[in-house]
Amino acid sequence: MIPPKPKPAIQPPRLPGDLSAFGQSTPDLQEIDRLDGVSVARVSFAGQSASNLTIERSRLSHVGFNSTKLPGLRLVDVQLSDCDLANADWSRLFVNRVALHECRLTGFSAAEAEIRDTVFDNCKADLASVRFATFKAVRFEKCVLIEADFQGADLSGVVFKDCDLTGLRAVWREARRS
């Protein structure tokens, strides 16, 4: 029997050493088309809508994206810590080299997303929906995914490690559990 090919290592976000501080006290996402090379902390974008926003080479900490509508959002080389994405609707999301640590994704929706080289660590993503998404080199570690919906998603590039998958809806033959 030929042993299975090892999965490639997940590439971490590539962040510059000198991030600029995001300085808007009352930010409006409709006035922003790109955030690049910034550190965003303790800011709320809750309930806002914007299309085709790009966030690159940035660190976000304690940022509220809850109930946002951000179709076509691009996240490349981004680190999110303690962020609130509950009930956000980010259809057609593109993610590459992203790390999410202790983020809240309850009710999060990202239909038709493409997610690559991404780690979800200790995140709460119960009732999240990522239908018809494509995952390549993605790891969920110590995450709560109770009743999450992965219907129609390509999970061949996903590893679930020490996660609560109670009631998760997916095609299991395509995913690896450890």
Side-chain angles (χ1 to χ4, degrees):
M1 182 199 289
I2 299 171
K5 230 177 173 183
K7 297 275 184 184
I10 295 173
Q11 299 298 309
R14 299 175 188 158
L15 298 176
D18 58 339
L19 296 172
S20 304
F22 180 76
Q24 293 187 13
S25 58
T26 55
D28 183 351
L29 287 176
Q30 289 192 342
E31 296 176 5
I32 301 169
D33 63 342
R34 177 184 216 83
L35 291 173
D36 188 1
V38 295
S39 177
V40 183
R42 304 199 183 283
V43 172
S44 178
F45 297 109
Q48 295 189 34
S49 298
S51 295
N52 302 314
L53 173 66
T54 297
I55 303 174
E56 288 185 298
R57 302 174 326 124
S58 297
R59 182 176 293 121
L60 292 80
S61 177
H62 299 281
V63 175
F65 284 108
N66 46 312
S67 300
T68 54
K69 291 190 185 303
L70 303 175
L73 174 65
R74 292 180 54 84
L75 298 174
V76 178
D77 294 316
V78 176
Q79 191 175 68
L80 296 104
S81 298
D82 298 301
C83 292
D84 188 352
L85 286 70
N87 300 310
D89 182 358
W90 295 1
S91 60
R92 298 179 325 278
L93 170 68
F94 176 82
V95 175
N96 191 27
R97 291 184 307 272
V98 173
L100 294 96
H101 177 70
E102 295 187 354
C103 292
R104 181 175 172 241
L105 295 113
T106 299
F108 176 81
S109 177
E112 300 175 8
E114 184 175 342
I115 302 173
R116 302 182 199 166
D117 286 307
T118 298
V119 175
F120 294 83
D121 173 44
N122 205 25
C123 293
K124 184 170 174 34
D126 50 319
L127 301 171
S129 176
V130 285
R131 287 179 161 228
F132 307 104
T134 301
F135 295 88
K136 294 182 181 173
V138 175
R139 185 174 68 244
F140 290 88
E141 189 163 341
K142 298 178 185 170
C143 292
V144 175
L145 293 159
I146 296 172
E147 295 189 28
D149 186 351
F150 287 79
Q151 294 288 337
D154 177 356
L155 298 174
S156 59
V158 176
V159 173
F160 297 98
K161 184 174 182 189
D162 299 326
C163 294
D164 185 343
L165 305 175
T166 306
L168 186 130
R169 291 178 296 276
V171 179
W172 282 110
R173 63 183 164 72
E174 299 176 1
R176 291 190 315 149
R177 294 171 78 175
S178 63

